Amino acid sequence: MPNLYGVILAGGWGASLWPLSRLLHPPSLLHLPGCGEGRSLIQETVARVLTRIPPHRIILVAPREQELEIRRHLELLGPGLSREITILAEPVDRNTAPAIAWAAQVLARKDPQALMAVFPGNQLLARPQYLWEALAAAYPVAQEGFLVALGITPGGPETGYGLIRQGPPLGAASGSMQVYRIEGFGEKPDPDTASGLAQGGYCWNSGIFLWQASSFLEALGRWRPQLLKNLTRMGLEAGASPPPGDYGRLENISVDQAVMEPHDRGAVISLPGDVGWHDLSTWQAVWEAAPKDQDGNYAAGEVLYADCRGSLVLATHRLVAGLGLEDLIVVETGDALLVAPRQQAHQLAKLTEPLKAQDAEVYRLPRTVFRPWGTFTVLEEGPGYKIKRIEVYPQGRLSLQFHHRRSENWIAVSGQAQVTRGEEVFVLQPQASTFIPREMPHRLENPGTAPAVIIEVQHGDYLGEDDIVRLEDVYGRLI
Amino acid sequence: MPNLYGVILAGGWGASLWPLSRLLHPPSLLHLPGCGEGRSLIQETVARVLTRIPPHRIILVAPREQELEIRRHLELLGPGLSREITILAEPVDRNTAPAIAWAAQVLARKDPQALMAVFPGNQLLARPQYLWEALAAAYPVAQEGFLVALGITPGGPETGYGLIRQGPPLGAASGSMQVYRIEGFGEKPDPDTASGLAQGGYCWNSGIFLWQASSFLEALGRWRPQLLKNLTRMGLEAGASPPPGDYGRLENISVDQAVMEPHDRGAVISLPGDVGWHDLSTWQAVWEAAPKDQDGNYAAGEVLYADCRGSLVLATHRLVAGLGLEDLIVVETGDALLVAPRQQAHQLAKLTEPLKAQDAEVYRLPRTVFRPWGTFTVLEEGPGYKIKRIEVYPQGRLSLQFHHRRSENWIAVSGQAQVTRGEEVFVLQPQASTFIPREMPHRLENPGTAPAVIIEVQHGDYLGEDDIVRLEDVYGRLI
């Protein structure tokens, strides 16, 4: 299918898998049980798409703040991939309609015949051959101008996914697969409705779609003309960097609500229930996707447990001991811990909303913060000091900076840490240390080929991240 | 009551309140909800005893390894107390019978008329006036040679405490308080038995006793002659340091089993159920003693919760978020986390026994390890490095030492850290650092009056605590 393009939505700013995911570390960047070979969810998704669509026909829409980290995940999956795959970087958190519309515009200009398959970046699919069969069956229908949604045949009542009601068949069946008209497109059902739906004629909305880029833009122009007009006015190309103000004015609406619900040329084709499809948008879904022991438990990290059933226990930084747990989620990270019944995990917002409202670090930042030059991790904070482990990637280069309110001791642990300290430039050998007084311009870089690790001890009456005055930065960050 | 002495059992090596308590950090050293004014359990107990018994008539039996830390708690309670109160330091973990017998021998030699009141070191008592009334009522009976146990009138069925069955009254009642003969002395009941006992005639065994030291030794000689003989052979005085081999050969048996059960001159007096007595030997008991919100929750530390009931959540090092918890115990420390239903908390050994069997650090050592000179806390370990925060008490002095396999960077954070580094001696000013190569003798001490805090970064292929060669130590530790 030479006109088939893949569009992967790598955003999802939410904190649905908090405390593993954070505002600046979305679910698609996580390594979760069910992902193969130590892959992240986005790597898993890209690898799946790559089996049928070459990288130069893949577009990834991602928040600008995660672009660098996503590129790193792509490079780890296959060297060169981050250059071959097009990344559209959103400057502001927007829902799926604007993201998909941007990709559709880019594709329609590039190839008027383009068919785009849209994939959420946080799903697993154990048996993807069904996906490709379904897309092949949907292909002729999409070429007729239909917007085709992929459905999942429900295995039981479920309130976590939106529903699609099937209408009369459309076109010829392909093997056992038949495309239907969409008769109704709905929100997540309440529990009563959900339990009445198992009988048939309904499927879950997987968030996977197939359509001609041009049909989609036409439908968008009909149902959300202002959104299309505002987007068109920006005249965005691939590689463009939309102004946050203009992009932020695009209507913040899902593609389901903006187009699929009102549209009269929607179609649906369902995957069988046993394809191993998992939308990892809640801890309950992660538990479902995880390989479990005979008592229904999944544990990762340093975990000790007895008499537990149906529980998911993830430990990242220390021993987690569980006794008598029933259907519980326990997720431990270096700076936060979540305990909740699996059945209530979808109400996580009750906890994360207050954190969001406070703009709490534990909501925004992962414990290990990814920067273009490497990472830093706050190991400990106490009165008057803060300890960080800083890892500088090979060839990474922090900004030339100084601080008004803190001094720093740097101790090299491994690798080649090149230090600029006022007028001096020298390599800090492992075990050696150097002191950076307040107000002194300094820079850290790694001229080597292995990561450089240093321990930084900050001293001062104020130790916030915002006391950085950048004098020069190779990544263009001066604030 | 000039002949009344207080004996406080500060041991309890177990890990019943793991992960807060550790083999080398027993429950009596913990600060738990229900303790007043930031006191530890042992401070709470000593303060209670001190209201009626002067410090020179108090004996504390404690594991030798905790003696220094207990002295520190006593000094914090009242300067000079650690010298006035006698501490008997057990070199080996033994049960209550040998501990009490040692104290009884010391007292009987000092004062042939000595009456000793025995108190476990891990209990709370909200209304202690009843305790003193009960002891006053028991006094004449104890003087007649009876061994008097203090009972607690049960508020409901409970399987966590041993039982005492009351027989006929003994002596005259004092107000509403009556001493009874003990008719039966039993182990913790099974749930069926427990629910049948609420009607009366039974009470819980509080572990508090009153008797003449001489009557106790007489009874011990009758029921456990070998234990008494072995103890007598050691000829221990207060301040003596029994050889671990000899002390370790004393029968490891509880006072209940060794003496109270077989003895025919046992008596019991009960405290009313509402005295606010709490034996903090399980997390369930800690929850019961804690002041709770209207939904029965107690939370301490950085805790965020919603829709929780009947739960105890303690956070010491990071945010703990609980959603929908019901009757759950969540205890977070820097290196371990426990999650268990309250009702199952007494089965904690299912988790701690495997840790004990592995001699795991997380079972033995608290995250902050107490030393005679101060404390150290391992903040982070990674490949080739380990980071510690070291706090040296005023006038504290580490041993002069060197390491075969590691070098160290020291960074001063606060206080006066005096460094010996080979031939040099100097004060490391806050923010300054120094490097200790492998094999170089070094020492850290604090000549100041405020604690000195340094951050230590170790480098090496092996970073175990046992790579310390001590050349000189003011606390007599050369291995």
Side-chain angles (χ1 to χ4, degrees):
Chain A
M1 294 186 273
N3 297 111
L4 182 63
Y5 294 80
V7 173
I8 298 171
L9 305 177
W13 296 67
S16 61
L17 298 181
W18 185 88
L20 269 197
S21 73
R22 305 286 166 104
L23 188 60
L24 298 188
H25 198 66
S28 60
L29 290 173
L30 299 180
H31 300 260
L32 289 170
C35 291
E37 302 159 34
R39 285 176 182 164
S40 64
L41 265 172
I42 193 67
Q43 288 173 329
E44 191 78 12
T45 307
V46 170
R48 184 164 62 240
V49 175
L50 278 173
T51 60
R52 304 296 171 102
I53 304 178
H56 66 272
R57 280 201 265 124
I58 296 177
I59 289 181
L60 218 144
V61 191
R64 186 185 289 172
E65 277 173 296
Q66 275 122 49
E67 185 184 347
L68 285 160
E69 184 56 14
I70 285 173
R71 286 190 187 278
R72 209 172 64 84
H73 282 232
L74 293 178
E75 279 305 296
L76 291 170
L77 187 66
L81 272 187
S82 77
R83 284 189 311 279
E84 294 176 81
I85 291 175
T86 300
I87 296 184
L88 306 183
E90 294 188 291
V92 187
D93 176 18
R94 296 286 88 176
N95 209 320
T96 48
I100 292 173
W102 183 6
Q105 277 204 331
V106 168
L107 285 177
R109 265 197 294 265
K110 179 176 171 177
D111 177 353
Q113 307 303 317
L115 259 99
M116 60 193 272
V118 178
F119 306 96
N122 63 341
Q123 299 188 345
L124 296 177
L125 196 59
R127 284 167 287 282
Q129 66 273 24
Y130 290 106
L131 169 71
W132 302 115
E133 284 172 26
L135 290 177
Y139 196 82
V141 178
Q143 282 197 305
E144 285 172 36
F146 278 86
L147 306 188
V148 188
L150 239 85
I152 307 288
T153 308
E158 170 65 57
T159 59
Y161 310 115
L163 284 174
I164 299 176
R165 188 163 4 129
Q166 291 165 204
L170 247 181
S174 159
S176 63
M177 291 189 147
Q178 173 67 59
V179 186
Y180 299 89
R181 266 193 182 270
I182 289 178
E183 205 169 273
F185 206 92
E187 284 295 291
K188 298 174 187 177
D190 59 50
D192 282 352
T193 316
S195 60
L197 297 177
Q199 298 320 314
Y202 283 90
C203 57
W204 295 330
N205 175 12
S206 71
I208 304 173
F209 301 101
L210 182 75
W211 48 55
Q212 286 182 314
S214 56
S215 324
F216 176 79
L217 292 171
E218 210 179 289
L220 185 69
R222 184 163 152 210
W223 304 110
R224 282 293 186 279
Q226 196 60 44
L227 171 53
L228 183 64
K229 208 159 104 185
N230 288 341
L231 187 67
T232 308
R233 191 180 297 142
M234 279 190 271
L236 294 175
E237 299 292 334
S241 190
D246 291 352
Y247 198 85
R249 270 189 292 277
L250 296 180
E251 192 180 8
N252 194 20
I253 188 171
S254 73
V255 71
D256 298 344
Q257 234 192 311
V259 178
M260 296 306 288
E261 284 182 37
H263 201 48
D264 49 11
R265 297 201 78 201
V268 60
I269 182 167
S270 285
L271 297 183
D274 61 353
V275 291
W277 174 82
H278 295 282
D279 181 275
L280 300 188
S281 56
T282 63
W283 284 116
Q284 166 71 12
V286 173
W287 175 81
E288 281 169 8
K292 291 173 281 290
D293 71 14
Q294 59 190 19
D295 298 314
N297 302 301
Y298 176 84
E302 203 189 343
V303 176
L304 184 67
Y305 61 98
D307 302 338
C308 294
R309 293 190 327 162
S311 294
L312 175 80
V313 183
L314 304 183
T316 64
H317 280 77
R318 68 219 137 125
L319 174 66
V320 175
L323 176 67
L325 309 183
E326 299 244 350
D327 302 327
L328 218 64
I329 299 289
V330 179
V331 181
E332 181 272 337
T333 69
D335 55 353
L337 166 78
L338 170 69
V339 183
R342 276 202 285 117
Q343 318 291 354
Q344 264 170 275
H346 62 282
Q347 300 179 313
L348 194 52
K350 286 190 183 178
L351 297 179
T352 54
E353 283 301 321
L355 293 173
K356 187 178 176 179
Q358 296 157 30
D359 197 31
E361 273 211 351
V362 79
Y363 178 79
R364 280 192 299 117
L365 298 180
R367 186 155 181 268
T368 293
V369 177
F370 297 89
R371 292 286 187 232
W373 44 262
T375 67
F376 72 82
T377 306
V378 176
L379 302 181
E380 168 100 355
E381 270 190 89
Y385 73 94
K386 187 189 229 179
I387 306 176
K388 280 183 181 176
R389 181 185 54 237
I390 296 175
E391 183 172 337
V392 188
Y393 298 142
Q395 309 302 314
R397 199 170 190 217
L398 280 75
S399 58
L400 182 68
Q401 57 185 245
F402 70 85
H403 314 289
H404 288 298
R405 296 175 67 178
R406 69 180 187 239
S407 61
E408 294 173 349
N409 280 97
W410 290 350
I411 298 166
V413 171
S414 59
Q416 274 190 275
Q418 181 174 303
V419 174
T420 301
R421 182 184 179 278
E423 300 297 306
E424 308 165 78
V425 177
F426 54 92
V427 169
L428 198 65
Q429 299 298 340
Q431 305 181 33
S433 69
T434 189
F435 179 67
I436 315 287
R438 272 183 299 174
E439 311 283 355
M440 178 178 280
H442 57 278
R443 163 175 261 165
L444 192 57
E445 52 200 304
N446 179 1
T449 53
V453 176
I454 75 159
I455 302 296
E456 172 177 280
V457 181
Q458 306 178 352
H459 314 263
D461 58 346
Y462 177 77
L463 301 167
E465 277 311 303
D466 50 352
D467 180 21
I468 297 182
V469 182
R470 292 203 171 91
L471 304 172
E472 193 194 306
D473 185 68
V474 291
Y475 310 102
R477 307 166 309 161
L478 285 175
I479 44 164
Chain B
M1 294 186 275
N3 298 110
L4 182 64
Y5 293 80
V7 173
I8 298 172
L9 304 176
W13 296 68
S16 62
L17 297 182
W18 186 89
L20 269 198
S21 73
R22 304 289 165 102
L23 187 60
L24 298 188
H25 198 65
S28 58
L29 291 173
L30 300 179
H31 301 260
L32 290 170
C35 291
E37 300 157 35
R39 285 176 183 165
S40 63
L41 265 173
I42 193 67
Q43 287 174 330
E44 191 77 13
T45 307
V46 170
R48 185 164 62 240
V49 175
L50 278 173
T51 58
R52 304 295 171 102
I53 304 177
H56 67 274
R57 281 202 263 124
I58 296 177
I59 288 181
L60 217 144
V61 191
R64 185 183 291 170
E65 277 172 298
Q66 274 123 47
E67 186 184 345
L68 285 159
E69 184 57 13
I70 285 173
R71 286 188 187 279
R72 209 170 65 84
H73 282 232
L74 293 179
E75 280 304 298
L76 291 171
L77 188 64
L81 271 188
S82 77
R83 284 189 313 278
E84 294 177 81
I85 291 176
T86 300
I87 296 185
L88 306 183
E90 294 189 291
V92 187
D93 176 17
R94 296 284 87 177
N95 209 321
T96 48
I100 292 173
W102 182 7
Q105 277 203 331
V106 168
L107 286 178
R109 264 197 296 266
K110 179 175 172 177
D111 178 353
Q113 307 303 317
L115 259 100
M116 58 193 273
V118 178
F119 306 96
N122 63 341
Q123 299 189 344
L124 295 178
L125 195 59
R127 283 167 286 282
Q129 65 273 25
Y130 289 106
L131 169 71
W132 302 114
E133 284 172 26
L135 290 176
Y139 196 80
V141 178
Q143 281 196 305
E144 284 172 36
F146 279 86
L147 306 188
V148 190
L150 241 85
I152 307 289
T153 309
E158 170 64 57
T159 59
Y161 309 116
L163 285 175
I164 300 176
R165 190 167 356 133
Q166 292 167 202
L170 248 181
S174 158
S176 64
M177 290 191 150
Q178 173 67 57
V179 185
Y180 299 90
R181 266 191 182 272
I182 289 178
E183 205 169 274
F185 205 94
E187 285 294 292
K188 299 173 185 176
D190 60 49
D192 283 353
T193 316
S195 61
L197 296 178
Q199 298 321 313
Y202 283 90
C203 57
W204 295 330
N205 176 12
S206 71
I208 303 173
F209 302 101
L210 182 76
W211 49 54
Q212 287 182 313
S214 56
S215 327
F216 176 78
L217 291 171
E218 210 179 290
L220 186 69
R222 184 162 153 211
W223 303 110
R224 281 293 185 279
Q226 196 59 46
L227 171 52
L228 183 63
K229 209 158 102 186
N230 288 341
L231 187 67
T232 308
R233 191 179 296 141
M234 278 190 272
L236 295 176
E237 300 291 333
S241 189
D246 292 351
Y247 199 86
R249 269 190 293 277
L250 297 180
E251 193 180 7
N252 195 20
I253 189 171
S254 74
V255 71
D256 297 345
Q257 233 192 313
V259 178
M260 295 307 287
E261 283 182 37
H263 201 48
D264 48 11
R265 299 200 76 202
V268 60
I269 183 167
S270 285
L271 297 182
D274 61 352
V275 292
W277 173 81
H278 295 282
D279 181 275
L280 300 188
S281 56
T282 63
W283 284 116
Q284 166 70 14
V286 173
W287 175 81
E288 280 169 9
K292 293 175 280 289
D293 70 14
Q294 60 190 21
D295 299 314
N297 302 300
Y298 176 85
E302 203 189 343
V303 176
L304 185 66
Y305 61 97
D307 301 337
C308 294
R309 293 191 326 163
S311 294
L312 175 80
V313 183
L314 304 183
T316 63
H317 280 78
R318 63 208 73 192
L319 174 66
V320 175
L323 176 67
L325 309 184
E326 298 246 349
D327 302 326
L328 218 63
I329 299 289
V330 180
V331 181
E332 182 272 338
T333 70
D335 55 355
L337 166 78
L338 170 70
V339 184
R342 277 203 285 115
Q343 318 291 356
Q344 264 170 276
H346 62 282
Q347 300 179 314
L348 193 52
K350 285 189 184 180
L351 297 178
T352 54
E353 283 301 320
L355 293 172
K356 187 179 178 180
Q358 297 158 30
D359 197 30
E361 272 210 353
V362 78
Y363 178 78
R364 280 193 300 117
L365 298 181
R367 186 155 181 269
T368 293
V369 176
F370 296 90
R371 292 287 187 231
W373 44 260
T375 67
F376 71 82
T377 306
V378 176
L379 302 180
E380 167 100 354
E381 270 190 87
Y385 74 93
K386 188 189 228 177
I387 306 176
K388 281 184 182 175
R389 181 185 54 235
I390 296 175
E391 182 172 337
V392 188
Y393 298 143
Q395 309 301 315
R397 198 170 191 219
L398 280 75
S399 58
L400 182 67
Q401 57 184 244
F402 68 87
H403 313 288
H404 288 299
R405 297 175 65 178
R406 69 179 188 238
S407 61
E408 295 173 348
N409 280 98
W410 290 350
I411 299 166
V413 171
S414 58
Q416 274 190 274
Q418 180 175 304
V419 173
T420 302
R421 182 183 179 279
E423 301 298 306
E424 307 166 78
V425 178
F426 54 92
V427 169
L428 198 64
Q429 299 297 340
Q431 306 182 33
S433 71
T434 188
F435 179 66
I436 315 286
R438 271 183 300 174
E439 310 284 355
M440 179 178 279
H442 56 278
R443 163 175 260 165
L444 192 57
E445 53 201 301
N446 179 0
T449 52
V453 177
I454 74 158
I455 301 297
E456 172 177 281
V457 182
Q458 306 177 352
H459 314 263
D461 57 347
Y462 177 77
L463 301 167
E465 277 310 303
D466 51 352
D467 181 20
I468 297 182
V469 182
R470 291 203 170 91
L471 303 171
E472 193 195 305
D473 185 69
V474 291
Y475 309 101
R477 307 164 310 158
L478 285 175
I479 45 165

